[in-house]
Amino acid sequence: MTALYEREAQSISTLAHLRFFPLALTGGTGATLRADDGRELLDFAASWGAASLGHSDPRIRAAVDHALSDQAGASYLSSANAATVQLAEKLLSLVPSRAAGRMWFGHSGSDANETVARTVVAATGRPRIISFSGAYHGGTAGSAAVSGHPSQVIPKAHGLTLVPYPNGYADGEQAAEKALTELDRLLEGPVPPQEVAAFFIEPIQSDGGMLVPPAGFFEEIERRCRRYGILLVSDEVKVGLGRTGQLHAFSHFGIEPDIVVFGKGLGGGLPISAVAGPEAIMNFAPAFSFQTLHGNPVCAAAALAVLEAIEADRLAENAAKVGRHLLSRLDALKQGHRLIGDVRGKGLAIGVELVSDRATRKPAKRETAMTAYRAFENGLVLFYVGVNSNVLELTPPLTLTIGEADRGVEMLEMALTDVEQGRVDLSLVSAFAG
């Protein structure tokens, strides 16, 4: 029988592929995935954090079954439906008062961030947007246009300004000061603040390298936004909803955004995104940003089940506890592996930066790809991110146990050892662009 990965190659376009190794799945439960060769794999990626409760969670299954057994249409485009209204009410009760106006629902973080970018400019009459270098806000034309990740070659939005995101590993204690100095230089000259509609932030810059900002940095960003009437948009798509050890990632930094964007883990594996923001912005105009299946009641029911599970099972607290343990184990791993330059993160949003030279901090891009590949061969699924593609990203299900965390670290250590000792064939990864 032809392997699943080979069958896919003969039937499915590669336009949406982002592959690191020949992962082909037939099922999964919890933090375990089942490959088509029968192997069980420990999932430290959760499909980029989307499978927030792990796989085959019974609460999501029950919610979806109930929604489909008496289906209230398939959209909120031309009719209200109970599940979407309930989800809106729930999310509005969870966001800060500044953002607790109205909800918009979509399919992914990409369409959500594109909607925000279009709406804030139209509603405020201000043509400019600020975001960070290295930021990834989505893969659609509109969301990539306000992103700053170098892997995206889509044209940027007219009026977009990118400012540095502070990287404490690369720039040390001066990282925040350097970033704020550059922002002030722009606002005092080429970027008139009265023309800026919104500042898009990631409380932890995930695809840019899982960068954790220095203490006080985002308070300074918020202070400038308030001074100039700039809307503060927190992109919580990957790092929100319990992943960092608090319900909202921005809560770690003492700020209150005007607009909050949700995605990935909100649906627990089903496609749904959400934006919470002030009524004046969110009700700017009807039929301004919509697709037929937006507000799908089945996906909304799944999202409600996810939110209920996060609360009932105290999954933010679990992410904090297991994340602290993981960080401790990875810090210990750093002492014995020359490839590890830095370990950072909050909760179950963790980055392990690999370098070929600790003194120069030169990115070990090739070795990172080889480590991810060998980890897969060992039974561990994790991907890598960063502007230099050299940061292993850990975004496992929020349900991860300490025992599973320990197993994953052991498999990662074996992979690092094999790479450092030259036991991984570079040709294995040549077919995977990552």
Side-chain angles (χ1 to χ4, degrees):
M1 182 182 225
T2 305
L4 185 59
Y5 210 82
E6 296 173 20
R7 288 169 56 197
E8 184 202 48
Q10 300 302 315
S11 59
I12 295 180
S13 163
T14 61
L15 286 174
H17 282 186
L18 181 60
R19 300 294 172 84
F20 301 83
F21 32 77
L23 179 63
L25 304 172
T26 59
T29 304
T32 300
L33 294 166
R34 185 175 66 256
D36 69 332
D37 60 3
R39 286 200 307 151
E40 288 195 344
L41 309 170
L42 180 59
D43 188 6
F44 264 25
S47 295
W48 299 100
S52 51
L53 304 188
H55 308 282
S56 304
D57 185 89
R59 292 158 295 193
I60 296 178
R61 291 165 56 195
V64 168
D65 181 67
H66 178 74
L68 285 171
S69 67
D70 190 18
Q71 189 174 344
S75 169
Y76 79 157
L77 178 58
S78 298
S79 64
N81 67 73
T84 305
V85 171
Q86 291 165 13
L87 178 58
E89 292 169 342
K90 179 63 175 178
L91 286 169
L92 289 173
S93 75
L94 297 175
V95 298
S97 58
R98 281 181 175 274
R102 296 292 187 272
M103 297 298 308
W104 174 96
F105 293 104
H107 297 317
S108 71
S110 296
D111 66 358
N113 280 315
E114 174 165 339
T115 290
V116 174
R118 291 179 55 221
T119 306
V120 294
V121 168
T124 64
R126 296 182 172 197
R128 296 180 181 270
I129 285 174
I130 299 175
S131 64
F132 286 108
S133 298
Y136 178 86
H137 295 297
T140 62
S143 57
V146 295
S147 299
H149 200 285
S151 68
Q152 294 179 301
V153 295
I154 295 175
K156 299 305 175 186
H158 176 72
L160 175 70
T161 298
L162 297 174
V163 298
Y165 194 100
N167 183 335
Y169 178 60
D171 298 325
E173 295 180 357
Q174 305 304 313
E177 182 180 344
K178 287 174 61 176
L180 291 170
T181 297
E182 174 62 9
L183 174 61
D184 288 338
R185 183 192 71 79
L186 291 166
L187 292 175
E188 290 166 5
V191 183
Q194 67 273 15
E195 295 182 6
V196 179
F199 197 141
F200 277 68
I201 71 166
E202 292 172 277
I204 295 176
Q205 191 177 82
S206 50
D207 290 84
M210 204 55 84
L211 300 176
V212 180
F217 175 73
F218 275 127
E219 288 94 326
E220 290 298 323
I221 294 294
E222 183 181 33
R223 188 172 292 115
R224 287 158 175 78
C225 286
R226 301 293 170 241
R227 182 188 309 160
Y228 299 120
I230 298 169
L231 293 166
L232 184 61
V233 180
S234 185
D235 179 348
E236 300 268 317
V237 170
K238 186 185 285 189
V239 296
L241 294 178
R243 176 155 299 283
T244 61
Q246 295 195 35
L247 183 64
H248 305 303
F250 63 76
S251 297
H252 290 280
F253 307 107
I255 61 174
E256 185 175 329
D258 299 282
I259 296 173
V260 183
V261 183
F262 302 102
K264 292 193 189 297
L266 176 62
L270 274 74
I272 186 169
S273 59
V275 177
E279 181 183 357
I281 301 296
M282 304 303 291
N283 280 351
F284 162 70
F288 184 78
S289 179
F290 64 87
Q291 295 178 43
T292 302
L293 293 176
H294 279 177
N296 180 278
V298 179
C299 295
L304 278 166
V306 168
L307 295 175
E308 290 167 3
I310 290 172
E311 290 184 0
D313 292 357
R314 303 174 69 89
L315 292 181
E317 291 90 332
N318 186 69
K321 179 183 73 174
V322 179
R324 282 192 299 269
H325 181 77
L326 253 179
L327 281 169
S328 175
R329 288 293 311 273
L330 292 166
D331 274 329
L333 210 62
K334 177 182 174 182
Q335 308 312 313
H337 291 276
R338 57 179 172 78
L339 274 175
I340 300 180
D342 192 36
V343 176
R344 54 185 176 256
K346 287 186 180 293
L348 291 175
I350 296 174
V352 180
E353 183 162 351
L354 302 189
V355 295
S356 57
D357 185 317
R358 284 188 177 178
T360 63
R361 299 172 183 173
K362 181 180 178 181
K365 179 176 180 179
R366 181 178 63 182
E367 291 86 351
T368 303
M370 294 164 72
T371 300
Y373 196 102
R374 179 50 60 91
F376 162 67
E377 291 184 317
N378 292 343
L380 179 67
V381 174
L382 80 170
F383 307 136
Y384 55 84
V385 294
V387 296
N388 295 304
S389 299
N390 70 314
V391 180
L392 299 171
E393 181 184 83
L394 282 62
T395 55
L398 304 181
T399 55
L400 193 78
T401 67
I402 285 179
E404 290 168 333
D406 285 337
R407 283 175 46 218
V409 171
E410 291 164 5
M411 287 186 272
L412 176 58
E413 180 169 24
M414 289 189 292
L416 287 164
T417 298
D418 285 347
V419 172
E420 289 172 342
Q421 296 185 1
R423 293 200 292 257
V424 179
D425 185 352
L426 179 60
S427 66
L428 291 173
V429 304
S430 62
F432 300 94

